[in-house]
Amino acid sequence: MLVCIVIIAAVSAALLAWFVIDVGTVTLARYRENFTRQAGFQAREFFLFIDPSRLFVFNLGVILLGGLLAWLLSGSLLPVLPAVAVLALLPRFLYAAMRRRRLQRFEQQLPDALMMLCGGLRAGVGFSSAIQQLVTEAQAPLAQEFSLVLREQRLGVTLEQSLANLARRMPIQSTVLVVSAMRIAAETGGGLAETLERAAQTIRSRMQMEGKIGALTSQGKLQAWVVGMLPLVLMLVLDHMEPEAMALMWHSRLGWGTLCVIAMLECMGVYVIRKIVAIDV
């Protein structure tokens, strides 16, 4: 009887291990496919020609190293899962931050670029030649985007379609304003130089207004950081002063539930404050 129980237990363990390995392999392959596809598209969007498979290997190594460090530092498997989840989502956050910074940089460069195009058009230079001069003298990311507009025109794409592609790649209000102004000027036969000059002035005025609003709401943003970090600092201080009392927080189910509620309330509070201070111009 004991031999039968041992055999059944061994077979069950083998089947369970096979199931876990099979599901893990399929999940890892699907995650790799999605990661490489998104990473390749995102890298090309930043004009970075990197092999996505290498990025996947690097990301996987960072996830495993982070989980190992969390286990070694805490001595428990409980912090490993949150650390792995955060590191797995870290590329998305980095991409969002880099894309937001790229859009901001493009918008800051746009008024000067429009004035440069306006000066070239008033000097009698053609629109394509003015864009070529702009690409030569401007910096990234504006030079990269307008260089792509020139390349599309050389391949036979119409100016309207290339500008529409520019607005799709740079989905900000300033780009939409410039593209719409260029289309209207082309359709109605108005002066393109004057249109670009007025668009540059409008963008500068809006950016100045956004800067003033950002300065006025900086206190609220700082308050969000203080509100978010204060409970964490307080928990660390109490853990150093009263380790026995705080042990219930770290090593009991009730404490884990309390930590989850605290984290949820923290996220809700920071989200509400950021929504209050986020003013769209």
Side-chain angles (χ1 to χ4, degrees), residues 107 173 202 205-214 278-281:
E107 189 173 16
Q173 295 180 1
T202 303
S205 300
R206 190 171 63 84
M207 291 178 61
Q208 291 177 359
M209 183 63 67
E210 288 180 351
K212 292 181 181 179
I213 293 176
I279 302 175
D280 189 13
V281 179

Side-chain angles (χ1 to χ4, degrees), residues 159-236:
L159 176 61
E160 182 179 358
Q161 184 61 40
S162 61
L163 292 176
N165 294 335
L166 175 63
R168 179 178 54 82
R169 293 192 304 269
M170 292 289 165
I172 53 178
Q173 295 180 1
S174 299
T175 310
V176 176
L177 174 64
V178 172
V179 172
S180 301
M182 288 183 178
R183 287 180 177 177
I184 294 174
E187 292 177 358
T188 59
L192 184 57
E194 290 77 8
T195 302
L196 294 178
E197 184 178 4
R198 287 194 297 268
Q201 294 176 357
T202 303
I203 293 173
R204 279 201 180 98
S205 300
R206 190 171 63 84
M207 291 178 61
Q208 291 177 359
M209 183 63 67
E210 288 180 351
K212 292 181 181 179
I213 293 176
L216 294 174
T217 57
S218 59
Q219 182 179 358
K221 296 178 182 179
L222 179 61
Q223 183 180 359
W225 283 103
V226 172
V227 170
M229 297 300 297
L230 184 60
L232 302 179
V233 175
L234 184 60
M235 284 192 294
L236 293 177

Side-chain angles (χ1 to χ4, degrees), residues 67-137:
L68 180 61
L69 289 177
W71 177 63
L72 292 176
L73 293 176
S74 63
S76 174
L77 295 177
L78 182 62
V80 174
L81 292 179
V84 170
V86 170
L87 291 175
L89 296 175
L90 184 61
R92 296 186 178 182
F93 295 142
L94 289 177
Y95 166 73
M98 293 174 62
R99 178 173 172 77
R100 182 168 57 251
R101 184 177 179 181
R102 179 181 172 84
L103 293 176
Q104 291 176 356
R105 178 63 177 168
F106 180 85
E107 189 173 16
Q108 291 173 359
Q109 294 175 329
L110 193 56
D112 294 335
L114 294 179
M115 294 305 297
M116 189 179 299
L117 290 176
C118 177
L121 292 174
R122 287 179 175 175
V125 180
F127 186 68
S128 299
S129 301
I131 295 179
Q132 181 64 47
Q133 183 180 1
L134 173 64
V135 171
T136 304
E137 299 181 3

